[in-house]
């Protein structure tokens, strides 16, 4: 970041205690820009995008090859200052959000620029970081100046798909039986019947499994069980697979001639990645395995697929109708109130901001915006970013022109 740009940060408002967003949610906040001297700006914008990326390398030396792929879900962009030649033009694969328009010159001081996005109403995978790829929802603010390096700041959102509770088949229990007849190092046989209470579980839930073991063999055995995560990455017709143990435990020994029933409870982590099936290049799946550990012999085992669902996020109802992104006007900048008889210190530089009759942009109506005197925690509200009025002169020599 250049010496003249002292601060460039993004602050957004969490919509729930877990700070998790889902489809259709509103993401709003402020960009804070502090400059130590007057600067000229080519463009200044904030964007929010969702992407999946995979990448890995195989071979070595001359035989080394990198496999990679990308999938984009959306790209939303709001300009604060836009190049004049771009105004009114669309951008490829980008939804432009109408926002405030400010002048191309920013005076010294701290400035607050409000933004507001709505996440698309579509089936998108959750935030995820794996061995060879990730799904990320990133918000970026970029300040471009003539003959200067761009200043950029990023922050990442946590996204989970909405749990609509319509998958009735995931409430069905699963059951399986496995028998084994001892041939070497023993005699007799053993059998195991495994039943789960259902197929799909929310993050933080407990998987309950009933296991009935009949050990009619001459060998002692141990009951073991595990929950394994399978990560699959796909690029250029190649596949890379990695496994991760979520739960792996051993129960009591089952003696020869014993018939034992077990209840196995597996507590799922609250932040466990949900099952991902709706991404073209990344899959996340889970497998439950219950087996009998038999020394010097193959182990009888029962395997079930398990689906991990988003936990109840306690989110407000969807903020907008289904369908494509619906643009919203940005909130009015939050201002610090000043007594009527005492002019604020920045009134000369930014007259429109402190004029109660001035609206934030043409066509704005009273009552459309929240109370402008409410100061949100974590923001530096003074002075707020000035509104550019194209009908006024933009000469730098005029002391009362808002930038």
């Amino acid at each position: 970041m250049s010496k003249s740009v002292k601060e460039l940060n993004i602050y957004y408002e969490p919509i729930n205690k877990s700070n998790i967003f889902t489809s259709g949610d509103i993401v709003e906040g402020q960009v804070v820009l502090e400059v130590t001297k007057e600067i000229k700006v080519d463009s200044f914008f904030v964007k929010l995008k969702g992407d999946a990326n995979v990448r890995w390398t195989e071979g070595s030396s001359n035989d080394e090859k990198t496999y990679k792929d990308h999938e984009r879900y959306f790209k939303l962009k709001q300009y604060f200052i836009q190049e004049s030649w771009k105004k009114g033009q669309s951008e490829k694969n980008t939804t432009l959000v109408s926002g405030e328009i400010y002048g191309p010159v920013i005076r010294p001081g701290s400035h607050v620029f409000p933004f507001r996005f709505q996440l698309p109403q579509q089936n998108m995978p959750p935030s995820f970081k794996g061995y060879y790829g990730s799904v990320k929802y990133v918000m970026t603010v970029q300040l471009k100046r003539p003959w200067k390096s761009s200043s950029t700041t990023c922050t990442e959102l946590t996204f989970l798909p909405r749990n609509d509770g319509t998958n009735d088949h995931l409430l069905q229990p699963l059951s399986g039986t496995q028998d084994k007849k001892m041939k070497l190092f023993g005699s007799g046989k053993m059998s195991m019947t495994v039943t789960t209470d259902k197929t799909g579980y929310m993050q933080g839930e407990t998987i309950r499994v009933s296991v009935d073991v009949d050990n009619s063999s001459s060998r002692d055995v141990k009951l073991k069980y595990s929950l394994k995560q399978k990560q699959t990455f796909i690029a250029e017709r190649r596949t890379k697979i990695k496994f991760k143990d979520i739960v792996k435990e051993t129960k009591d020994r089952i003696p020869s001639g014993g018939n034992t029933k077990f209840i196995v409870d597996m507590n799922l982590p609250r932040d466990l990645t949900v099952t991902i099936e709706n991404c073209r290049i990344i899959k996340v799946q889970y497998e439950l395995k219950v087996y009998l550990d038999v020394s010097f012999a193959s182990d009888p085992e029962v395997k079930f697929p398990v689906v991990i669902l988003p936990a109840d996020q306690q989110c407000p109802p969807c903020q907008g109708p289904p369908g494509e992104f619906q643009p919203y006007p940005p909130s009015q900048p939050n201002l610090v109130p000043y007594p009527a008889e005492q002019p604020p210190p920045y009134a000369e530089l930014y007259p429109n901001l402190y004029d109660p009759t001035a609206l934030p942009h043409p066509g704005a109506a009273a009552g459309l915006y929240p109370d402008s005197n409410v100061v949100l925690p974590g923001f530096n509200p003074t002075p707020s970013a000035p509104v550019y009025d194209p009908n006024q002169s933009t000469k730098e020599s005029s002391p009362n022109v808002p930038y």
Side-chain angles (χ1 to χ4, degrees):
M1 197 171 293
S2 65
K3 294 181 181 179
S4 56
V5 179
K6 185 177 180 181
E7 179 186 5
L8 181 62
N9 281 316
I10 309 172
Y11 301 94
Y12 68 87
E13 301 175 26
I15 62 171
N16 50 42
K17 292 181 180 180
S18 56
N19 196 18
I20 292 174
F21 292 86
T22 190
S23 301
D25 281 343
I26 299 296
V27 182
E28 60 183 338
Q30 298 168 320
V31 171
V32 176
L33 170 64
E34 184 177 356
V35 294
T36 57
K37 64 179 182 180
E38 182 177 283
I39 63 172
K40 292 184 177 180
V41 177
D42 283 339
S43 71
F44 185 29
F45 60 84
V46 59
K47 63 182 177 182
L48 175 60
K49 60 180 183 176
D51 297 276
N53 289 281
V54 298
R55 181 187 179 94
W56 74 88
T57 301
E58 295 180 4
S60 58
S61 301
N62 296 333
D63 295 329
E64 186 175 277
K65 179 172 174 57
T66 298
Y67 297 90
K68 59 183 178 179
D69 206 344
H70 166 257
E71 185 174 62
R72 169 152 290 169
Y73 305 110
F74 66 88
K75 181 180 178 183
L76 310 174
K77 195 172 186 180
Q78 178 181 324
Y79 278 97
F80 303 123
I81 300 172
Q82 188 176 18
E83 299 98 325
S84 57
W85 63 271
K86 270 191 175 183
K87 291 177 182 176
Q89 296 184 11
S90 60
E91 296 186 22
K92 186 178 180 181
N93 299 324
T94 303
T95 301
L96 292 179
V97 182
S98 8
E100 303 285 4
I101 300 175
Y102 304 99
V105 177
I106 297 179
R107 294 286 182 88
S110 180
H111 309 273
V112 177
F113 297 80
F115 64 84
R116 181 169 180 150
F117 296 118
Q118 183 182 20
L119 294 174
Q121 280 282 13
Q122 63 191 50
N123 184 19
M124 299 180 293
S127 299
F128 170 71
K129 185 175 182 180
Y131 287 98
Y132 301 111
S134 62
V135 179
K136 291 184 178 181
Y137 297 85
V138 179
M139 190 154 45
T140 304
V141 60
Q142 188 172 79
L143 177 69
K144 291 184 178 181
R145 302 160 58 197
W147 310 108
K148 300 285 185 181
S149 299
S150 298
S151 299
T152 303
T153 300
C154 299
T155 188
E156 193 170 337
L157 304 181
T158 301
F159 175 86
L160 272 180
R162 192 175 294 275
N163 185 0
D164 56 12
T166 59
N167 299 317
D168 293 337
H169 67 282
L170 298 179
L171 299 177
Q172 301 299 317
L174 297 174
S175 185
T177 300
Q178 185 66 260
D179 299 323
K180 180 179 179 62
K181 187 175 182 179
M182 300 299 298
K183 296 180 179 179
L184 299 175
F185 307 105
S187 60
K189 68 174 184 178
M190 61 186 71
S191 66
M192 174 179 61
T193 299
V194 182
T195 304
T196 65
D197 54 340
K198 54 184 178 179
T199 307
Y201 300 85
M202 291 192 297
Q203 298 167 304
E205 263 197 297
T206 298
I207 298 178
R208 171 154 286 193
V209 183
S210 301
V211 185
D212 190 348
V213 179
D214 182 5
N215 184 14
S216 299
S217 73
S218 59
R219 301 281 301 276
D220 292 350
V221 296
K222 286 184 179 179
L223 177 68
K224 294 186 176 182
Y225 56 90
S226 66
L227 178 67
K228 190 166 289 190
Q229 181 191 79
K230 179 184 179 183
Q231 301 179 9
T232 304
F233 305 91
I234 304 163
E236 301 177 34
R237 299 184 179 181
R238 296 293 293 262
T239 299
K240 197 79 168 176
I241 296 176
K242 276 288 188 176
F243 292 94
K244 179 181 179 181
D245 287 325
I246 307 302
V247 177
K248 191 173 184 180
E249 295 184 10
T250 301
K251 293 292 284 185
D252 298 335
R253 181 176 63 89
I254 305 166
S256 170
N259 191 329
T260 309
K261 292 185 178 181
F262 296 93
I263 296 296
V264 173
D265 286 334
M266 285 178 271
N267 298 320
L268 298 176
R270 182 76 183 181
D271 59 351
L272 183 62
T273 300
V274 303
T275 296
I276 300 178
E277 295 282 7
N278 57 343
C279 178
R280 178 178 57 84
I281 58 177
I282 297 176
K283 308 292 181 187
V284 176
Q285 299 157 315
Y286 292 88
E287 182 184 77
L288 170 66
K289 183 171 79 169
V290 181
Y291 60 105
L292 298 176
D293 185 7
V294 185
S295 302
F296 308 110
S298 59
D299 298 333
E301 59 185 31
V302 174
K303 296 180 180 179
F304 295 126
V306 170
V307 177
I308 304 300
L309 303 167
D312 289 330
Q313 294 133 326
Q314 302 301 320
C315 292
C318 173
Q319 305 169 49
E324 295 183 355
F325 169 77
Q326 301 294 324
Y328 284 79
S331 304
Q332 185 178 3
N334 293 299
L335 311 180
V336 174
Y338 287 91
E341 67 276 7
Q342 179 183 352
Y346 298 95
E348 184 177 291
L349 289 179
Y350 311 113
N352 279 0
L353 290 176
Y354 300 98
D355 181 358
T357 64
L359 294 173
H361 60 76
L368 181 62
Y369 298 94
D371 183 0
S372 61
N373 291 328
V374 176
V375 180
L376 298 177
F379 297 118
N380 184 0
T382 308
S384 296
V387 177
Y388 173 56
D389 185 351
N391 297 320
Q392 295 190 24
S393 170
T394 57
K395 293 182 180 180
E396 298 180 21
S397 57
S398 175
N400 293 323
V401 173
Y403 289 90

